[in-house]
Amino acid sequence: MTAFGKTDMGEDEHRPDNESEEERPVVRPLEAIPVRQGERVSVLLKDPEGLSEEVLQVSREAFFVIALMDGNHTITDIQAEFARTFGTLIYSDDIKGLVRSLDEHKLLDNE
């Protein structure tokens, strides 16, 4: 992959125009600690590098979405994976809100 997000093999040529420009969020490496509270399972996210001193607690569904924020998945890709796994839809605005929250907590890789 080049610095402009295209592979040397022309991968973007096979995508619709809007998808090649769609946001592909990237989360920095995080420490994930599962927490059980009764029947509810959530995940604590900690920054091992210390850029963010806060610990963020997210649902298992939110953690699933965050785990797909690797720079390879578009928002649309994440929506599709979520629907396949959980059998329900997630709005792109919800994913974008999660991206904003991660950014505010300094957990995104914003080169």
Side-chain angles (χ1 to χ4, degrees), residues 39-93:
E39 294 295 315
R40 185 172 165 245
V41 175
S42 60
V43 180
L44 298 178
L45 299 176
K46 294 172 74 175
D47 176 12
E49 295 177 8
L51 290 176
S52 176
E53 295 180 10
E54 296 181 53
V55 175
L56 193 61
Q57 185 171 2
V58 298
S59 68
R60 69 183 186 99
E61 294 84 2
F63 180 69
F64 178 85
V65 170
I66 291 167
L68 293 172
M69 294 182 185
D70 58 5
N72 295 316
H73 294 88
T74 64
I75 300 293
T76 303
D77 294 337
I78 294 170
Q79 286 178 290
E81 289 295 325
F82 189 91
R84 275 193 284 277
T85 301
F86 295 101
T88 188
L89 299 176
I90 184 170
Y91 293 107
S92 61
D93 287 345

Side-chain angles (χ1 to χ4, degrees), residues 30-42:
L30 301 173
E31 182 180 351
I33 305 162
V35 176
R36 181 177 293 276
Q37 297 168 322
E39 294 295 315
R40 185 172 165 245
V41 175
S42 60

Side-chain angles (χ1 to χ4, degrees), residues 13-29:
E13 292 174 16
H14 302 290
R15 293 192 187 119
D17 290 339
N18 62 342
E19 188 177 329
S20 63
E21 296 175 11
E22 191 175 349
E23 183 177 10
R24 295 171 186 268
V26 180
V27 174
R28 293 187 314 98

